[in-house]
Each structure stands twice: as C-alpha cells, then as structure tokens.
Amino acid sequence: MRLLARQRPRFGSGRIYRLLTQHGWTVNEKRVHRLWKREHMQVPRKQHRKQRFPDGSENGCVRHRARYKNHVWSYDFVTDRTEDGRQLRLLVVIDEYTRECLAIEVGRSFTAQDVMRVLQYLFAVRGTPEHIRSDNGPEFVSKVICRWLKEADVKTLFIAKGSPWENGCVESFNGTLRDELLNRDIFLSFEEACWVIDRWRLDYNHHRIHSSLDYQTPAEYAAGCVLPASPQPPEHSRFTNPNPLT
C-alpha cells in the first residue's frame, strides 16, 4: 500500500484496493480502508465551491451530456511556468465520454491558428466529433476557429460566461493534471516540460484507473466502446505530431 501510495500519491483507499487486487493480492476492501485510516494515509479533501446553477445552461455538461465515443469533446487551456519564470500554456483536449486525454499540446503562447492545427491533426487520426465544448476564450470564439469547425460539421457548445462548472469534464481533468503533475514538478526547460507532460498523458490514458469508468483506464474503456464513424486511431503524441508547436 505504501509503495502504491508513493506512485499514486493522490489516490484514495478505494483505488489502492483495486490496484492491489490487480497485482494479485487477496485482501478485503474494508481491511484496506481500515489500515489506510490507521496509518493516516488519507488524501486531504479538496474544497469545492457551490454551483449557483446546478443544472447548468443548455450547453453545459449536465444537460448536454456525452452519450458515446466522439460525441462531445472538450478543450481548455492550463497555465504553468518553467523554472526561469517563463509562461507555459497547455492546450488540453479530452473525449468527455471515454475520459481519454486526446492531446496536451505545450507552447509558450497559442493563437487560433495553432489551436486549429492541433484539432486538424486529431480529426485526421481520431475522427471528427459531433460537438466540441469550451469556454469563451478568444482562441475558441475566434471567427477562424468557428468558421473552420462549421465547415468540418462540428457543432460548438460555448458555456455561459463565468460558469466553469458547465465545462465540468475538462475542468475535472485540469484539476487532476495540476494535482498529480504540475503542482509536484518543476520544469527546468520547455523541452523537459513537453516530454514529462506527454509521458504523464500516456500514463493517464493507459495505466491510471478512473473511478467514473468502473475503475478501468480510459484506454480500456474506449476499447470496449463502439465508434459510430471510424475505427480506433493510433495514440496521439507530441513526438509523432507532424505539426508540433514549438
């Protein structure tokens, strides 16, 4: 349990129990929970803000919920810094149904054209989603992006301004990314940040079990999903992207 907790410091006793059983341990879940509490290994609970409008708008993830793979994607930006204080911007793209992280593209800054190039690559290897959800950031609401998405027959779902909970799936992922990686690592250079973040994304998709997916990894869950349009694509990676951002 201590070894697994060091590897996954933000996991609770429930996930640790399932990892133990996957590694061949025959142990009762209640015993794991009891030892977890006795050894004071609990993860501090996060403070959650109350939602002013729990049901959200018609474009929020509660009312317009993803029903199958490639139905709804979400994208958002996360900000961090390298050791020298220079800004890092991370463009995160996820499939809301399978919880797969399709891309975390790292750059010093992004334009609407940069965002469009990342989506072009993902559409080519993954297939085109029916909807893509985002906040009202300038890169997402730009005429260039909106016109291109309309031509690609992808409907945009813009959440209400000042309502990040309506984009809950990607916001939850961003919290996990910050909690398990960005708050724990100092990036000495841009190149190191690109490599470490990409390795973490692959680990998230293929090795990190997800409670909302019945403790499967996103890749395992996606493998069991029926994709209406196109077959399962190859795994996206910054280092196989023909148009990486630098």
Side-chain angles (χ1 to χ4, degrees), residues 73 91-94 100-106 110 114-115 117-127 194 197-203 205-206 219 232-245:
W73 291 6
L91 174 62
V92 171
V93 187
I94 68 167
E100 292 171 283
C101 178
L102 307 179
I104 307 179
E105 202 69 34
V106 184
F110 281 85
D114 296 330
V115 174
R117 282 197 293 270
V118 174
L119 293 180
Q120 282 176 331
Y121 176 77
L122 291 177
F123 287 6
V125 300
R126 170 84 178 191
C194 293
I197 291 169
D198 193 68
R199 295 305 96 185
W200 182 89
R201 186 187 66 83
L202 295 175
D203 179 74
N205 283 340
H206 295 280
Q232 178 73 12
E235 179 70 27
H236 166 65
S237 171
R238 174 184 176 81
F239 302 103
T240 59
N241 188 341
N243 294 307
L245 300 179

Side-chain angles (χ1 to χ4, degrees), residues 63-232:
R63 292 188 179 180
H64 204 112
R65 190 184 302 273
R67 299 192 303 273
Y68 45 82
K69 185 177 179 179
N70 275 8
H71 180 208
V72 181
W73 291 6
S74 294
Y75 59 166
D76 196 12
F77 283 108
V78 179
T79 303
D80 201 54
R81 293 187 181 276
T82 47
E83 188 187 34
D84 58 8
R86 297 180 62 192
Q87 177 179 262
L88 286 175
R89 294 197 78 196
L90 282 57
L91 174 62
V92 171
V93 187
I94 68 167
D95 185 315
E96 289 192 4
Y97 185 76
T98 66
R99 297 298 201 275
E100 292 171 283
C101 178
L102 307 179
I104 307 179
E105 202 69 34
V106 184
R108 294 294 186 183
S109 62
F110 281 85
T111 65
Q113 292 287 348
D114 296 330
V115 174
M116 188 172 71
R117 282 197 293 270
V118 174
L119 293 180
Q120 282 176 331
Y121 176 77
L122 291 177
F123 287 6
V125 300
R126 170 84 178 191
T128 304
E130 291 187 27
H131 305 270
I132 189 162
R133 195 189 324 270
S134 71
D135 58 25
N136 296 271
E139 298 88 356
F140 304 140
V141 301
S142 73
K143 293 181 180 179
V144 174
I145 288 289
C146 292
R147 187 185 307 115
W148 178 76
L149 288 173
K150 185 176 181 180
E151 292 172 355
D153 198 25
V154 177
K155 300 177 180 65
T156 54
L157 299 174
F158 294 114
I159 65 173
K161 293 183 178 180
S163 305
W165 56 84
E166 293 182 6
N167 204 8
C169 291
V170 75
E171 292 291 347
S172 175
F173 175 85
N174 292 346
T176 299
L177 171 63
R178 189 167 295 283
D179 189 42
E180 297 187 3
L181 178 66
L182 301 183
N183 286 348
R184 300 178 60 221
D185 283 51
I186 297 176
F187 303 122
L188 301 181
S189 66
F190 178 82
E191 291 73 19
E192 181 189 33
C194 293
W195 191 89
V196 171
I197 291 169
D198 193 68
R199 295 305 96 185
W200 182 89
R201 186 187 66 83
L202 295 175
D203 179 74
Y204 177 91
N205 283 340
H206 295 280
H207 301 290
R208 185 189 185 279
I209 55 177
H210 204 295
S211 57
S212 68
L213 303 178
D214 194 23
Y215 292 97
Q216 300 178 75
T217 66
E220 287 173 339
Y221 185 75
C225 296
V226 177
L227 185 62
S230 58
Q232 178 73 12

